[in-house]
């Protein structure tokens, strides 16, 4: 019997209205919805506009690495440095950004966050 090896995608192809580029997923800290676009915030401080809705972006990224914490925020779970309790709570990311966690998405986030600890 031949074992099939499944490989996880490590890069994502991002297009804006001027260019297309390949970005390593582990360089992405978080992504924010901005109408029909999404803003990618990278570890190096660079912001990239992606011509896709956040829902589509979420489907293209590694589901083990990224978690939706709010209707407008998608974070790289390994870039979360601190969780601050509250109704939904807040997360502090490695780049210093603080984002709100929706109370509806809190349980899923905490389950995934605790898996890293």
């Amino acid at each position: 019997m031949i074992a099939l090896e499944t490989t996880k995608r490590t890069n994502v192809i991002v297009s804006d209205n001027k260019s297309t580029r390949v970005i390593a997923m582990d360089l992405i800290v978080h992504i924010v919805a901005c109408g029909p676009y999404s803003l990618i915030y990278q570890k190096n401080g660079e912001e990239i506009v992606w011509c896709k809705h956040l829902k589509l972006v979420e489907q293209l990224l590694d589901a083990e690495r990224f978690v939706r914490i709010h209707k407008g925020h998608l974070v790289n779970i390994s870039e979360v440095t601190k969780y601050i309790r509250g109704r939904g709570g807040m997360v502090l990311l490695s780049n210093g950004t603080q984002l709100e966690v929706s109370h509806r998405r809190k349980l899923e986030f905490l389950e995934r966050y605790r898996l890293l600890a």
Side-chain angles (χ1 to χ4, degrees):
M1 182 177 206
I2 299 173
L4 294 175
E5 197 175 308
T6 59
T7 57
K8 291 186 183 182
R9 290 183 1 175
T10 57
N11 297 319
V12 64
I13 298 171
V14 177
S15 297
D16 61 15
N17 59 357
K18 295 180 184 175
S19 63
T20 300
R21 64 172 94 182
V22 177
I23 299 174
M25 285 189 213
D26 56 348
L27 296 180
I28 299 172
V29 177
H30 72 286
I31 303 172
V32 177
C34 187
Y37 302 99
S38 297
L39 294 174
I40 300 173
Y41 292 86
Q42 295 187 94
K43 288 181 181 180
N44 64 5
E46 185 180 0
E47 298 174 16
I48 299 170
V49 176
W50 195 352
C51 296
K52 290 197 182 300
H53 286 275
L54 194 60
K55 184 174 184 173
L56 294 173
V57 169
E58 184 177 15
Q59 294 170 358
L60 295 172
L61 297 174
D62 180 4
E64 290 181 17
R65 192 177 298 174
F66 291 89
V67 63
R68 187 88 171 252
I69 62 166
H70 191 275
K71 68 179 180 179
H73 305 295
L74 188 61
V75 298
N76 184 336
I77 195 75
S78 63
E79 296 299 320
V80 176
T81 59
K82 185 176 184 180
Y83 172 72
I84 303 164
R85 292 183 190 105
R87 182 168 185 228
M90 303 287 283
V91 293
L92 183 63
L93 302 174
S94 62
N95 65 358
T97 302
Q98 189 170 323
L99 299 172
E100 181 181 355
V101 178
S102 163
H103 70 277
R104 292 180 183 164
R105 298 184 186 267
K106 179 180 179 177
L107 183 60
E108 178 189 355
F109 166 75
L110 288 176
E111 287 172 358
R112 300 273 304 279
Y113 185 61
R114 288 184 182 131
L115 289 175
L116 291 179

